[in-house]
C-alpha cells in the first residue's frame, strides 16, 4: 500500500499524455493530461512549501470546483499535509468556525471567495497567483507516512455544532485501491 499521490505519479510515468481530466459537459472544456495535472500539483506544492507549509499540517481549501482544485488537493497530499475541504456555498460563519477549530497552517482560496465570505488568515494562497507557475514541475522528494492525516472533514455533528473527522493517507489509499478493484 502506498499513498495516493505516489500511485498517481506512477500513472503519470506510464501514461503521461493520457487524459486525466476532461471537462465534458462542464464549463471546463479543455483537457488536462496526467502530466499536466501532476506538474501543476508539483508547482502548487512547492509554492506551499515556500510560504511555510510543512507535512502533517492542515491546509484549508476553499476553491470552486475546477481542475485547479484537483491540483491543489493532489499538491497537499504530496506535501504529506492534510486538506480541509471548505465549500464556498457554506455560510461564512461555518467557514470561519472551520478555520478557527482546525488552526489551519494556510488557506488556499480565490480572491472572490475570500472577499465574499470575509475569510481572514495569516497565510492565504490565491490559487490564481501567477508566481505559482514559476516553481519546478518535478515531483517532490517528500516521504509521506501512511498513518499521517490526509484530510479532515467536518460533519454536522449531533449537537448541531460541526465536528472534524480525520482520515489518514492509509485510509485514503485503501479506499482508492478498493475502488479501482471494483
Amino acid at each position: 500500500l502506498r499513498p495516493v499521490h505516489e500511485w498517481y505519479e506512477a500513472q503519470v510515468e506510464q501514461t503521461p499524455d493520457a487524459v486525466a481530466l476532461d471537462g465534458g459537459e462542464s464549463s471546463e472544456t479543455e483537457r488536462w493530461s496526467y502530466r499536466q495535472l501532476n506538474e501543476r500539483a508539483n508547482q502548487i506544492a512547492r509554492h506551499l512549501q515556500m510560504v511555510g507549509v510543512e507535512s502533517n499540517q492542515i491546509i484549508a481549501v476553499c476553491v470552486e470546483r475546477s481542475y485547479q482544485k484537483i491540483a491543489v488537493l493532489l499538491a497537499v497530499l504530496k506535501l504529506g499535509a492534510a486538506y480541509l475541504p471548505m465549500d464556498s456555498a457554506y455560510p461564512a460563519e461555518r467557514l470561519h468556525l472551520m478555520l478557527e477549530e482546525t488552526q489551519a497552517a494556510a488557506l488556499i482560496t480565490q480572491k472572490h471567495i475570500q472577499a465574499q465570505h470575509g475569510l481572514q488568515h495569516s497565510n492565504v494562497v490565491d490559487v490564481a497567483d501567477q508566481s505559482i507557475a514559476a516553481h519546478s514541475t518535478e515531483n517532490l522528494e517528500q516521504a509521506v507516512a501512511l498513518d499521517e492525516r490526509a484530510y479532515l472533514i467536518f460533519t454536522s455533528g449531533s449537537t448541531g455544532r460541526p465536528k472534524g473527522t480525520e482520515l489518514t493517507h492509509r485510509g485514503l489509499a485503501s479506499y482508492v485501491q478498493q475502488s479501482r478493484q471494483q
Side-chain angles (χ1 to χ4, degrees), residues 1-8 69-70 72-85 144-153 165-181:
L1 196 61
R2 58 184 171 176
V4 170
H5 69 277
E6 289 181 14
W7 167 83
Y8 185 82
K69 184 173 190 172
I70 295 169
V72 166
L73 299 180
L74 186 56
V76 172
L77 293 175
K78 284 174 174 266
L79 284 174
Y83 66 87
L84 169 66
V144 176
L146 287 169
D147 292 325
E148 291 179 5
R149 297 182 286 213
Y151 72 88
L152 177 69
I153 190 161
T165 302
E166 296 179 351
L167 182 73
T168 63
H169 283 271
R170 181 183 309 282
L172 182 59
S174 294
Y175 173 76
V176 169
Q177 185 176 36
Q178 289 173 358
S179 297
R180 291 180 63 210
Q181 292 172 351

Side-chain angles (χ1 to χ4, degrees), residues 128-140:
D129 184 338
Q130 297 298 314
S131 69
I132 293 172
H135 295 285
S136 171
T137 59
E138 296 299 314
N139 287 334
L140 279 71

Side-chain angles (χ1 to χ4, degrees), residues 21-32 67:
L21 299 173
D22 184 348
E25 300 294 318
S26 75
S27 61
E28 289 189 84
T29 56
E30 73 177 303
R31 293 178 175 174
W32 279 20
Y67 294 175

Side-chain angles (χ1 to χ4, degrees), residues 2-179:
R2 58 184 171 176
V4 170
H5 69 277
E6 289 181 14
W7 167 83
Y8 185 82
E9 290 170 354
Q11 185 65 43
V12 172
E13 290 297 317
Q14 291 177 2
T15 58
D17 298 320
V19 176
L21 299 173
D22 184 348
E25 300 294 318
S26 75
S27 61
E28 289 189 84
T29 56
E30 73 177 303
R31 293 178 175 174
W32 279 20
S33 69
Y34 282 99
R35 178 186 301 132
Q36 286 172 299
L37 176 57
N38 192 56
E39 288 177 350
R40 181 64 179 168
N42 289 332
Q43 290 173 323
I44 294 168
R46 282 192 167 73
H47 188 78
L48 289 170
Q49 284 179 321
M50 186 190 77
V51 298
V53 173
E54 298 175 0
S55 65
N56 211 26
Q57 291 182 318
I58 296 170
I59 311 305
V61 179
C62 193
V63 176
E64 290 175 342
R65 190 175 176 149
S66 64
Y67 294 175
Q68 290 289 345
K69 184 173 190 172
I70 295 169
V72 166
L73 299 180
L74 186 56
V76 172
L77 293 175
K78 284 174 174 266
L79 284 174
Y83 66 87
L84 169 66
M86 296 174 51
D87 189 333
S88 61
Y90 287 164
E93 300 80 35
R94 181 171 177 148
L95 297 175
H96 290 272
L97 173 76
M98 292 167 74
L99 281 172
E100 182 181 315
E101 291 282 321
T102 62
Q103 296 295 300
L107 167 64
I108 303 172
T109 191
Q110 293 160 294
K111 287 188 189 298
H112 69 278
I113 292 173
Q114 185 181 8
Q116 175 186 355
H117 293 291
L119 296 175
Q120 299 296 319
H121 195 281
S122 61
N123 197 0
V124 176
V125 175
D126 180 359
V127 75
D129 184 338
Q130 297 298 314
S131 69
I132 293 172
H135 295 285
S136 171
T137 59
E138 296 299 314
N139 287 334
L140 279 71
E141 298 296 326
Q142 179 80 26
V144 176
L146 287 169
D147 292 325
E148 291 179 5
R149 297 182 286 213
Y151 72 88
L152 177 69
I153 190 161
F154 271 71
T155 63
S156 59
S158 57
T159 63
R161 183 175 168 88
K163 181 180 176 186
T165 302
E166 296 179 351
L167 182 73
T168 63
H169 283 271
R170 181 183 309 282
L172 182 59
S174 294
Y175 173 76
V176 169
Q177 185 176 36
Q178 289 173 358
S179 297

